[in-house]
Amino acid sequence: MHLANYAQAAFAAPTPDFEPNDSLFHYQYNLYNYGQTGGTFGIDIGAKSAWNFTMGDSNVVVAILDEGFIYNHEDLDVSKILWSSGYDFVGDNYKTPHPDNNPISGDSTNHGVACQGIICAGTNNQIGISGIAPNCYFLPIKCADDFGGWSWNPLIYENALSYALHYSINNGCSMVVSCSWGWPNGSFYSNIDSIITVMASWGIACVFSTGNLGEYLPIGNTIKFPASLPSTIGVGAIKKTGDHWAYSGSGEGIDVVAPSGYYRYYDAGDIMTLDQMGQLGWNPIYTACAITNDNYICTFGGTSAAAPQVASIIALLKSEYSLRPEMEVFTILKMVIDSSAMDGIGDNYDSVGWDPVYGYGLANAFRALLAVVRGDVNNDKIINIIDINYLLNFLYRNGPPLQPDVRVGDADCDGRTVILDVGYLIDYLYKGGPKPQICFKY
């Protein structure tokens, strides 16, 4: 008897990438880059392929700590915004804070809304942009004032982080926290460090941008705090060609990078995301987009635009909780983000393995998800006898292809999808054998 080998499995037709019908998706090169805006093919976070696995889950909450947010946008699903549970820790003027429970953005600000759009915008709803994790819930936490002013009193951010922590514990939800801010390299606040460490112990992933100070200090010494902490996931920015951005914060603590544009002016970037509706926000007051209306901006950038992309990837990973409860262990989650990143895609600053500019490489949602779903060959979020039958049909009876990629069948992580993987699943389900591994063979 000749056993099936990997070559046979490799001929299976792959599931086509999910193709959203959102009118502006074509411009979101950071999600799918085929050179449409002058970039390099493949310098993206692999969103289209990732969406074949999941677009998120209602048990996962993404908390964004930023300038302020909105709920009344044509490209947002208000039912997924936890507005009544949100909070504003600053009020209208950071110099004289007046906290309240209304985290609405000021009329002329948009930094928080731009981050919100990257994560939460509706996907496949025929309008606007595509959010990366549209099926997750969103908790708005405002920590800057209505005019975009930020207080660097650490107590505000201690309170904001603690608020997110208590919401997750009290409501029993899985949480990711996205923060596109920080203090210059060398800063340290022990209370913030302690709170983030506690959050990590509860499985809450805090994602921080590495900052935009790289043009002013030597490479390797520009990463901001708290992105520099081991209990966070630090995210830098690269160009759409894969080359490094000189501004992107670098140094010990950076985990991965994501594609973004320049940052210094309102119209310097090239990331497409949400603006406030109509005349509010940045468009048309500070910037304009000829390719769309005033409800969107096409000029967001910096590491501020990179961090929410990685927070979204983590939200998608946490959405596989029924299959991988390990995604609630911060150290394992961080390992998956780092180990699934695409190394060697950049310029001569992109060394093999970890380096202080690219970290472990370009974050990739598809590779991260593929690593954690091995054995679930029909993509129904559970491994059971149906997967064994499905795999046997695929290998020997000309059955349907594995969903959404043949590599999900590689349960033992030996680089092949063969009869041995059937045996591995039988051992796991019925003989006390090990669970299919988190696997980084691609």
Side-chain angles (χ1 to χ4, degrees):
M1 177 180 179
H2 296 284
L3 301 182
N5 57 38
Y6 188 75
Q8 287 176 288
F11 284 113
T15 302
D17 285 346
F18 184 86
E19 190 70 43
N21 60 20
D22 306 293
S23 57
L24 298 175
F25 176 73
H26 165 77
Y27 298 102
Q28 293 181 271
Y29 73 85
N30 53 314
L31 306 191
Y32 179 64
N33 189 349
Y34 57 93
Q36 70 270 42
T37 61
T40 300
F41 181 85
I43 303 300
D44 57 58
I45 65 163
K48 283 178 64 175
S49 300
W51 287 328
N52 281 333
F53 289 110
T54 183
M55 287 189 175
D57 186 272
S58 60
N59 189 59
V60 179
V61 173
V62 181
I64 306 178
L65 280 57
D66 213 287
E67 279 183 5
F69 311 93
I70 55 175
Y71 56 84
N72 59 340
H73 196 285
E74 64 181 10
D75 205 8
L76 289 173
D77 181 351
V78 69
S79 70
K80 292 185 172 64
I81 301 176
L82 301 167
W83 195 264
S84 63
S85 297
Y87 202 77
D88 177 357
F89 281 92
V90 178
D92 61 351
N93 190 329
Y94 75 89
K95 295 179 181 178
T96 54
H98 292 94
D100 60 41
N101 60 356
N102 185 18
I104 196 76
S105 181
D107 288 351
S108 61
T109 65
N110 202 68
H111 191 274
V113 174
C115 294
Q116 180 183 1
I118 289 171
I119 300 171
C120 307
T123 299
N124 211 42
N125 62 353
Q126 299 185 326
I127 60 171
I129 64 168
S130 300
I132 302 168
N135 291 344
C136 295
Y137 276 53
F138 163 53
L139 179 66
I141 302 177
K142 183 170 175 280
C143 49
D145 72 23
D146 291 351
F147 303 95
W150 293 74
S151 168
W152 295 113
N153 177 358
L155 181 61
I156 289 174
Y157 306 94
E158 293 170 21
N159 290 337
L161 289 164
S162 296
Y163 188 89
L165 170 63
H166 289 132
Y167 182 90
S168 177
I169 294 172
N170 293 339
N171 291 276
C173 62
S174 178
M175 179 171 280
V176 187
V177 179
S178 182
C179 302
S180 292
W181 47 268
W183 288 266
N185 180 268
S187 302
F188 182 78
Y189 295 99
S190 59
N191 286 351
I192 288 179
D193 177 29
S194 297
I195 294 166
I196 292 173
T197 299
V198 172
M199 295 175 84
S201 74
W202 281 89
I204 299 171
C206 290
V207 180
F208 279 86
S209 60
T210 61
N212 303 329
L213 299 178
E215 293 170 303
Y216 305 104
L217 295 166
I219 283 180
N221 295 292
T222 61
I223 188 171
K224 283 188 171 184
F225 171 87
S228 55
L229 295 174
S231 51
T232 67
I233 292 176
V235 183
I238 59 171
K239 299 178 182 180
K240 56 190 171 186
T241 60
D243 291 348
H244 81 289
W245 274 116
Y247 70 73
S248 181
S250 62
E252 191 70 33
I254 184 172
D255 285 278
V256 290
V257 292
S260 188
Y262 199 57
Y263 77 97
R264 191 172 291 175
Y265 312 106
Y266 288 107
D267 60 353
D270 57 10
I271 294 296
M272 177 74 70
T273 184
L274 300 187
D275 191 30
Q276 295 194 58
M277 293 284 284
Q279 300 295 300
L280 302 178
W282 289 346
N283 184 1
I285 301 173
Y286 301 112
T287 185
C289 296
I291 56 178
T292 184
N293 60 36
D294 295 344
N295 303 334
Y296 304 87
I297 57 169
C298 55
T299 56
F300 197 39
T303 58
S304 288
Q309 296 178 57
V310 176
S312 299
I313 296 173
I314 293 172
L316 297 181
L317 280 170
K318 283 175 166 278
S319 297
E320 298 287 351
Y321 62 90
S322 61
L323 190 65
R324 284 289 179 188
E326 304 98 302
M327 293 302 98
E328 292 305 307
V329 179
F330 174 76
T331 53
I332 296 177
L333 186 66
K334 185 179 175 83
M335 178 271 292
V336 171
I337 289 293
D338 293 346
S339 300
S340 62
M342 296 176 65
D343 195 14
I345 50 84
D347 54 29
N348 56 3
Y349 287 96
D350 188 9
S351 304
V352 176
W354 184 90
D355 63 73
V357 175
Y358 286 78
Y360 289 96
L362 172 58
N364 189 278
F366 171 71
R367 287 164 59 97
L369 287 163
L370 180 59
V372 304
V373 300
R374 305 298 174 108
D376 179 21
V377 299
N378 61 353
N379 196 27
D380 67 352
K381 312 306 179 188
I382 188 171
I383 298 174
N384 55 24
I385 187 63
I386 296 174
D387 292 289
I388 294 173
N389 187 55
Y390 196 102
L391 184 53
L392 283 169
N393 283 335
F394 168 69
L395 290 172
Y396 296 111
R397 299 169 188 165
N398 200 30
L402 308 188
Q403 298 297 321
D405 186 282
V406 68
R407 289 166 286 188
V408 298
D410 184 13
D412 60 1
C413 195
D414 69 351
R416 305 174 300 162
T417 298
V418 294
I419 190 63
L420 295 176
D421 295 295
V422 175
Y424 193 98
L425 292 178
I426 291 172
D427 285 347
Y428 163 61
L429 289 171
Y430 301 109
K431 299 179 181 180
K435 187 175 184 176
Q437 301 176 42
I438 296 175
C439 178
F440 303 104
K441 289 186 178 177
Y442 300 105

PDB file of all heavy atoms in Angstrom, residues 188-217:
ATOM      1  N   PHE A 188      10.614  55.517  32.561  1.00  0.00           N
ATOM      2  CA  PHE A 188      10.097  54.341  33.269  1.00  0.00           C
ATOM      3  C   PHE A 188       9.172  54.798  34.384  1.00  0.00           C
ATOM      4  O   PHE A 188       9.515  55.679  35.174  1.00  0.00           O
ATOM      5  CB  PHE A 188      11.231  53.502  33.857  1.00  0.00           C
ATOM      6  CG  PHE A 188      10.752  52.258  34.545  1.00  0.00           C
ATOM      7  CD1 PHE A 188      10.381  51.133  33.815  1.00  0.00           C
ATOM      8  CD2 PHE A 188      10.649  52.222  35.933  1.00  0.00           C
ATOM      9  CE1 PHE A 188       9.914  49.988  34.458  1.00  0.00           C
ATOM     10  CE2 PHE A 188      10.193  51.080  36.575  1.00  0.00           C
ATOM     11  CZ  PHE A 188       9.825  49.965  35.831  1.00  0.00           C
ATOM     12  N   TYR A 189       7.983  54.195  34.423  1.00  0.00           N
ATOM     13  CA  TYR A 189       7.018  54.454  35.482  1.00  0.00           C
ATOM     14  C   TYR A 189       6.620  53.118  36.082  1.00  0.00           C
ATOM     15  O   TYR A 189       6.006  52.283  35.416  1.00  0.00           O
ATOM     16  CB  TYR A 189       5.808  55.207  34.936  1.00  0.00           C
ATOM     17  CG  TYR A 189       6.157  56.587  34.437  1.00  0.00           C
ATOM     18  CD1 TYR A 189       6.357  56.820  33.083  1.00  0.00           C
ATOM     19  CD2 TYR A 189       6.317  57.640  35.331  1.00  0.00           C
ATOM     20  CE1 TYR A 189       6.699  58.081  32.623  1.00  0.00           C
ATOM     21  CE2 TYR A 189       6.661  58.910  34.886  1.00  0.00           C
ATOM     22  CZ  TYR A 189       6.857  59.128  33.534  1.00  0.00           C
ATOM     23  OH  TYR A 189       7.204  60.371  33.085  1.00  0.00           O
ATOM     24  N   SER A 190       6.996  52.921  37.328  1.00  0.00           N
ATOM     25  CA  SER A 190       6.865  51.605  37.956  1.00  0.00           C
ATOM     26  C   SER A 190       5.406  51.168  38.064  1.00  0.00           C
ATOM     27  O   SER A 190       5.101  49.975  37.926  1.00  0.00           O
ATOM     28  CB  SER A 190       7.525  51.596  39.332  1.00  0.00           C
ATOM     29  OG  SER A 190       6.942  52.581  40.180  1.00  0.00           O
ATOM     30  N   ASN A 191       4.501  52.103  38.335  1.00  0.00           N
ATOM     31  CA  ASN A 191       3.093  51.718  38.462  1.00  0.00           C
ATOM     32  C   ASN A 191       2.529  51.227  37.131  1.00  0.00           C
ATOM     33  O   ASN A 191       1.753  50.266  37.093  1.00  0.00           O
ATOM     34  CB  ASN A 191       2.261  52.884  38.983  1.00  0.00           C
ATOM     35  CG  ASN A 191       2.480  53.147  40.464  1.00  0.00           C
ATOM     36  OD1 ASN A 191       3.121  52.353  41.141  1.00  0.00           O
ATOM     37  ND2 ASN A 191       1.966  54.263  40.962  1.00  0.00           N
ATOM     38  N   ILE A 192       2.899  51.887  36.059  1.00  0.00           N
ATOM     39  CA  ILE A 192       2.438  51.438  34.736  1.00  0.00           C
ATOM     40  C   ILE A 192       3.031  50.074  34.412  1.00  0.00           C
ATOM     41  O   ILE A 192       2.341  49.176  33.912  1.00  0.00           O
ATOM     42  CB  ILE A 192       2.791  52.486  33.662  1.00  0.00           C
ATOM     43  CG1 ILE A 192       1.880  53.699  33.832  1.00  0.00           C
ATOM     44  CG2 ILE A 192       2.674  51.903  32.262  1.00  0.00           C
ATOM     45  CD1 ILE A 192       2.118  54.816  32.861  1.00  0.00           C
ATOM     46  N   ASP A 193       4.305  49.900  34.719  1.00  0.00           N
ATOM     47  CA  ASP A 193       4.943  48.593  34.525  1.00  0.00           C
ATOM     48  C   ASP A 193       4.195  47.520  35.315  1.00  0.00           C
ATOM     49  O   ASP A 193       3.892  46.434  34.799  1.00  0.00           O
ATOM     50  CB  ASP A 193       6.407  48.682  34.969  1.00  0.00           C
ATOM     51  CG  ASP A 193       7.134  47.356  34.866  1.00  0.00           C
ATOM     52  OD1 ASP A 193       6.770  46.525  34.009  1.00  0.00           O
ATOM     53  OD2 ASP A 193       8.085  47.147  35.643  1.00  0.00           O
ATOM     54  N   SER A 194       3.857  47.808  36.543  1.00  0.00           N
ATOM     55  CA  SER A 194       3.180  46.824  37.404  1.00  0.00           C
ATOM     56  C   SER A 194       1.793  46.484  36.874  1.00  0.00           C
ATOM     57  O   SER A 194       1.392  45.314  36.855  1.00  0.00           O
ATOM     58  CB  SER A 194       3.074  47.359  38.831  1.00  0.00           C
ATOM     59  OG  SER A 194       4.351  47.543  39.397  1.00  0.00           O
ATOM     60  N   ILE A 195       1.052  47.506  36.439  1.00  0.00           N
ATOM     61  CA  ILE A 195      -0.296  47.260  35.922  1.00  0.00           C
ATOM     62  C   ILE A 195      -0.246  46.401  34.669  1.00  0.00           C
ATOM     63  O   ILE A 195      -1.019  45.436  34.504  1.00  0.00           O
ATOM     64  CB  ILE A 195      -1.018  48.593  35.637  1.00  0.00           C
ATOM     65  CG1 ILE A 195      -1.269  49.347  36.948  1.00  0.00           C
ATOM     66  CG2 ILE A 195      -2.339  48.353  34.905  1.00  0.00           C
ATOM     67  CD1 ILE A 195      -1.657  50.787  36.752  1.00  0.00           C
ATOM     68  N   ILE A 196       0.676  46.718  33.757  1.00  0.00           N
ATOM     69  CA  ILE A 196       0.792  45.944  32.514  1.00  0.00           C
ATOM     70  C   ILE A 196       1.214  44.511  32.817  1.00  0.00           C
ATOM     71  O   ILE A 196       0.742  43.564  32.170  1.00  0.00           O
ATOM     72  CB  ILE A 196       1.764  46.636  31.546  1.00  0.00           C
ATOM     73  CG1 ILE A 196       1.161  47.953  31.053  1.00  0.00           C
ATOM     74  CG2 ILE A 196       2.088  45.725  30.361  1.00  0.00           C
ATOM     75  CD1 ILE A 196       2.099  48.791  30.219  1.00  0.00           C
ATOM     76  N   THR A 197       2.084  44.334  33.801  1.00  0.00           N
ATOM     77  CA  THR A 197       2.490  42.981  34.189  1.00  0.00           C
ATOM     78  C   THR A 197       1.298  42.186  34.709  1.00  0.00           C
ATOM     79  O   THR A 197       1.124  41.003  34.377  1.00  0.00           O
ATOM     80  CB  THR A 197       3.593  43.045  35.257  1.00  0.00           C
ATOM     81  OG1 THR A 197       4.736  43.729  34.713  1.00  0.00           O
ATOM     82  CG2 THR A 197       4.012  41.653  35.698  1.00  0.00           C
ATOM     83  N   VAL A 198       0.456  42.829  35.517  1.00  0.00           N
ATOM     84  CA  VAL A 198      -0.754  42.160  36.007  1.00  0.00           C
ATOM     85  C   VAL A 198      -1.680  41.838  34.837  1.00  0.00           C
ATOM     86  O   VAL A 198      -2.267  40.742  34.776  1.00  0.00           O
ATOM     87  CB  VAL A 198      -1.468  43.035  37.053  1.00  0.00           C
ATOM     88  CG1 VAL A 198      -2.830  42.444  37.412  1.00  0.00           C
ATOM     89  CG2 VAL A 198      -0.613  43.168  38.307  1.00  0.00           C
ATOM     90  N   MET A 199      -1.822  42.762  33.911  1.00  0.00           N
ATOM     91  CA  MET A 199      -2.677  42.512  32.745  1.00  0.00           C
ATOM     92  C   MET A 199      -2.179  41.293  31.966  1.00  0.00           C
ATOM     93  O   MET A 199      -2.971  40.431  31.560  1.00  0.00           O
ATOM     94  CB  MET A 199      -2.725  43.746  31.847  1.00  0.00           C
ATOM     95  CG  MET A 199      -3.379  44.946  32.513  1.00  0.00           C
ATOM     96  SD  MET A 199      -3.315  46.462  31.533  1.00  0.00           S
ATOM     97  CE  MET A 199      -4.743  46.229  30.468  1.00  0.00           C
ATOM     98  N   ALA A 200      -0.874  41.215  31.775  1.00  0.00           N
ATOM     99  CA  ALA A 200      -0.309  40.059  31.073  1.00  0.00           C
ATOM    100  C   ALA A 200      -0.597  38.764  31.819  1.00  0.00           C
ATOM    101  O   ALA A 200      -0.867  37.724  31.203  1.00  0.00           O
ATOM    102  CB  ALA A 200       1.196  40.246  30.873  1.00  0.00           C
ATOM    103  N   SER A 201      -0.568  38.820  33.156  1.00  0.00           N
ATOM    104  CA  SER A 201      -0.846  37.611  33.943  1.00  0.00           C
ATOM    105  C   SER A 201      -2.293  37.154  33.776  1.00  0.00           C
ATOM    106  O   SER A 201      -2.604  35.987  33.989  1.00  0.00           O
ATOM    107  CB  SER A 201      -0.529  37.856  35.418  1.00  0.00           C
ATOM    108  OG  SER A 201      -1.509  38.685  36.024  1.00  0.00           O
ATOM    109  N   TRP A 202      -3.185  38.073  33.393  1.00  0.00           N
ATOM    110  CA  TRP A 202      -4.573  37.744  33.112  1.00  0.00           C
ATOM    111  C   TRP A 202      -4.797  37.431  31.629  1.00  0.00           C
ATOM    112  O   TRP A 202      -5.942  37.270  31.195  1.00  0.00           O
ATOM    113  CB  TRP A 202      -5.485  38.897  33.530  1.00  0.00           C
ATOM    114  CG  TRP A 202      -5.758  38.931  35.002  1.00  0.00           C
ATOM    115  CD1 TRP A 202      -5.031  39.569  35.958  1.00  0.00           C
ATOM    116  CD2 TRP A 202      -6.833  38.281  35.688  1.00  0.00           C
ATOM    117  NE1 TRP A 202      -5.587  39.354  37.197  1.00  0.00           N
ATOM    118  CE2 TRP A 202      -6.699  38.573  37.061  1.00  0.00           C
ATOM    119  CE3 TRP A 202      -7.907  37.480  35.268  1.00  0.00           C
ATOM    120  CZ2 TRP A 202      -7.591  38.089  38.015  1.00  0.00           C
ATOM    121  CZ3 TRP A 202      -8.793  37.016  36.229  1.00  0.00           C
ATOM    122  CH2 TRP A 202      -8.632  37.310  37.589  1.00  0.00           C
ATOM    123  N   GLY A 203      -3.736  37.365  30.874  1.00  0.00           N
ATOM    124  CA  GLY A 203      -3.851  37.032  29.460  1.00  0.00           C
ATOM    125  C   GLY A 203      -4.195  38.208  28.571  1.00  0.00           C
ATOM    126  O   GLY A 203      -4.515  38.023  27.387  1.00  0.00           O
ATOM    127  N   ILE A 204      -4.128  39.428  29.119  1.00  0.00           N
ATOM    128  CA  ILE A 204      -4.446  40.622  28.331  1.00  0.00           C
ATOM    129  C   ILE A 204      -3.186  41.102  27.626  1.00  0.00           C
ATOM    130  O   ILE A 204      -2.164  41.363  28.273  1.00  0.00           O
ATOM    131  CB  ILE A 204      -5.005  41.738  29.230  1.00  0.00           C
ATOM    132  CG1 ILE A 204      -6.294  41.274  29.918  1.00  0.00           C
ATOM    133  CG2 ILE A 204      -5.249  43.015  28.429  1.00  0.00           C
ATOM    134  CD1 ILE A 204      -6.799  42.230  30.976  1.00  0.00           C
ATOM    135  N   ALA A 205      -3.264  41.199  26.311  1.00  0.00           N
ATOM    136  CA  ALA A 205      -2.120  41.638  25.523  1.00  0.00           C
ATOM    137  C   ALA A 205      -2.186  43.147  25.339  1.00  0.00           C
ATOM    138  O   ALA A 205      -3.148  43.673  24.783  1.00  0.00           O
ATOM    139  CB  ALA A 205      -2.116  40.954  24.163  1.00  0.00           C
ATOM    140  N   CYS A 206      -1.172  43.850  25.817  1.00  0.00           N
ATOM    141  CA  CYS A 206      -1.064  45.296  25.619  1.00  0.00           C
ATOM    142  C   CYS A 206      -0.096  45.561  24.472  1.00  0.00           C
ATOM    143  O   CYS A 206       1.096  45.234  24.555  1.00  0.00           O
ATOM    144  CB  CYS A 206      -0.573  45.977  26.892  1.00  0.00           C
ATOM    145  SG  CYS A 206      -1.771  45.972  28.239  1.00  0.00           S
ATOM    146  N   VAL A 207      -0.613  46.133  23.408  1.00  0.00           N
ATOM    147  CA  VAL A 207       0.176  46.423  22.207  1.00  0.00           C
ATOM    148  C   VAL A 207       0.495  47.911  22.202  1.00  0.00           C
ATOM    149  O   VAL A 207      -0.406  48.753  22.268  1.00  0.00           O
ATOM    150  CB  VAL A 207      -0.600  46.047  20.936  1.00  0.00           C
ATOM    151  CG1 VAL A 207       0.219  46.359  19.689  1.00  0.00           C
ATOM    152  CG2 VAL A 207      -0.997  44.570  20.971  1.00  0.00           C
ATOM    153  N   PHE A 208       1.777  48.242  22.116  1.00  0.00           N
ATOM    154  CA  PHE A 208       2.207  49.633  22.115  1.00  0.00           C
ATOM    155  C   PHE A 208       3.047  49.943  20.881  1.00  0.00           C
ATOM    156  O   PHE A 208       3.878  49.125  20.453  1.00  0.00           O
ATOM    157  CB  PHE A 208       3.049  49.944  23.361  1.00  0.00           C
ATOM    158  CG  PHE A 208       2.243  50.212  24.603  1.00  0.00           C
ATOM    159  CD1 PHE A 208       1.818  49.165  25.405  1.00  0.00           C
ATOM    160  CD2 PHE A 208       1.896  51.513  24.956  1.00  0.00           C
ATOM    161  CE1 PHE A 208       1.068  49.402  26.550  1.00  0.00           C
ATOM    162  CE2 PHE A 208       1.147  51.749  26.094  1.00  0.00           C
ATOM    163  CZ  PHE A 208       0.727  50.709  26.898  1.00  0.00           C
ATOM    164  N   SER A 209       2.843  51.119  20.326  1.00  0.00           N
ATOM    165  CA  SER A 209       3.706  51.588  19.249  1.00  0.00           C
ATOM    166  C   SER A 209       5.075  51.938  19.821  1.00  0.00           C
ATOM    167  O   SER A 209       5.194  52.381  20.970  1.00  0.00           O
ATOM    168  CB  SER A 209       3.090  52.813  18.570  1.00  0.00           C
ATOM    169  OG  SER A 209       2.926  53.873  19.491  1.00  0.00           O
ATOM    170  N   THR A 210       6.118  51.744  19.007  1.00  0.00           N
ATOM    171  CA  THR A 210       7.481  52.022  19.466  1.00  0.00           C
ATOM    172  C   THR A 210       7.836  53.500  19.364  1.00  0.00           C
ATOM    173  O   THR A 210       8.893  53.910  19.826  1.00  0.00           O
ATOM    174  CB  THR A 210       8.515  51.208  18.664  1.00  0.00           C
ATOM    175  OG1 THR A 210       8.432  51.577  17.279  1.00  0.00           O
ATOM    176  CG2 THR A 210       8.279  49.717  18.826  1.00  0.00           C
ATOM    177  N   GLY A 211       6.960  54.306  18.755  1.00  0.00           N
ATOM    178  CA  GLY A 211       7.184  55.740  18.700  1.00  0.00           C
ATOM    179  C   GLY A 211       7.864  56.198  17.416  1.00  0.00           C
ATOM    180  O   GLY A 211       8.375  55.403  16.620  1.00  0.00           O
ATOM    181  N   ASN A 212       7.876  57.519  17.246  1.00  0.00           N
ATOM    182  CA  ASN A 212       8.359  58.131  16.006  1.00  0.00           C
ATOM    183  C   ASN A 212       9.574  59.025  16.226  1.00  0.00           C
ATOM    184  O   ASN A 212       9.731  60.066  15.583  1.00  0.00           O
ATOM    185  CB  ASN A 212       7.236  58.961  15.379  1.00  0.00           C
ATOM    186  CG  ASN A 212       5.993  58.158  15.102  1.00  0.00           C
ATOM    187  OD1 ASN A 212       6.057  56.971  14.819  1.00  0.00           O
ATOM    188  ND2 ASN A 212       4.838  58.809  15.187  1.00  0.00           N
ATOM    189  N   LEU A 213      10.453  58.630  17.138  1.00  0.00           N
ATOM    190  CA  LEU A 213      11.605  59.457  17.483  1.00  0.00           C
ATOM    191  C   LEU A 213      12.905  58.962  16.866  1.00  0.00           C
ATOM    192  O   LEU A 213      13.981  59.445  17.207  1.00  0.00           O
ATOM    193  CB  LEU A 213      11.758  59.514  19.014  1.00  0.00           C
ATOM    194  CG  LEU A 213      10.577  60.117  19.782  1.00  0.00           C
ATOM    195  CD1 LEU A 213      10.846  60.071  21.284  1.00  0.00           C
ATOM    196  CD2 LEU A 213      10.311  61.544  19.338  1.00  0.00           C
ATOM    197  N   GLY A 214      12.813  58.012  15.935  1.00  0.00           N
ATOM    198  CA  GLY A 214      14.020  57.392  15.397  1.00  0.00           C
ATOM    199  C   GLY A 214      14.919  58.315  14.615  1.00  0.00           C
ATOM    200  O   GLY A 214      16.118  58.046  14.464  1.00  0.00           O
ATOM    201  N   GLU A 215      14.379  59.406  14.105  1.00  0.00           N
ATOM    202  CA  GLU A 215      15.199  60.334  13.322  1.00  0.00           C
ATOM    203  C   GLU A 215      16.071  61.236  14.192  1.00  0.00           C
ATOM    204  O   GLU A 215      16.931  61.955  13.684  1.00  0.00           O
ATOM    205  CB  GLU A 215      14.289  61.199  12.445  1.00  0.00           C
ATOM    206  CG  GLU A 215      13.577  60.409  11.362  1.00  0.00           C
ATOM    207  CD  GLU A 215      12.500  61.222  10.665  1.00  0.00           C
ATOM    208  OE1 GLU A 215      11.592  61.725  11.360  1.00  0.00           O
ATOM    209  OE2 GLU A 215      12.566  61.340   9.436  1.00  0.00           O
ATOM    210  N   TYR A 216      15.857  61.192  15.498  1.00  0.00           N
ATOM    211  CA  TYR A 216      16.543  62.128  16.384  1.00  0.00           C
ATOM    212  C   TYR A 216      17.616  61.474  17.252  1.00  0.00           C
ATOM    213  O   TYR A 216      18.407  62.180  17.877  1.00  0.00           O
ATOM    214  CB  TYR A 216      15.520  62.816  17.292  1.00  0.00           C
ATOM    215  CG  TYR A 216      14.407  63.481  16.517  1.00  0.00           C
ATOM    216  CD1 TYR A 216      13.144  62.900  16.446  1.00  0.00           C
ATOM    217  CD2 TYR A 216      14.626  64.671  15.833  1.00  0.00           C
ATOM    218  CE1 TYR A 216      12.123  63.509  15.730  1.00  0.00           C
ATOM    219  CE2 TYR A 216      13.611  65.281  15.115  1.00  0.00           C
ATOM    220  CZ  TYR A 216      12.357  64.690  15.063  1.00  0.00           C
ATOM    221  OH  TYR A 216      11.353  65.277  14.343  1.00  0.00           O
ATOM    222  N   LEU A 217      17.631  60.158  17.303  1.00  0.00           N
ATOM    223  CA  LEU A 217      18.549  59.449  18.185  1.00  0.00           C
ATOM    224  C   LEU A 217      19.151  58.255  17.447  1.00  0.00           C
ATOM    225  O   LEU A 217      18.626  57.822  16.420  1.00  0.00           O
ATOM    226  CB  LEU A 217      17.816  58.965  19.444  1.00  0.00           C
ATOM    227  CG  LEU A 217      17.278  60.061  20.375  1.00  0.00           C
ATOM    228  CD1 LEU A 217      16.298  59.456  21.377  1.00  0.00           C
ATOM    229  CD2 LEU A 217      18.413  60.760  21.098  1.00  0.00           C
TER     230      LEU A 217
END
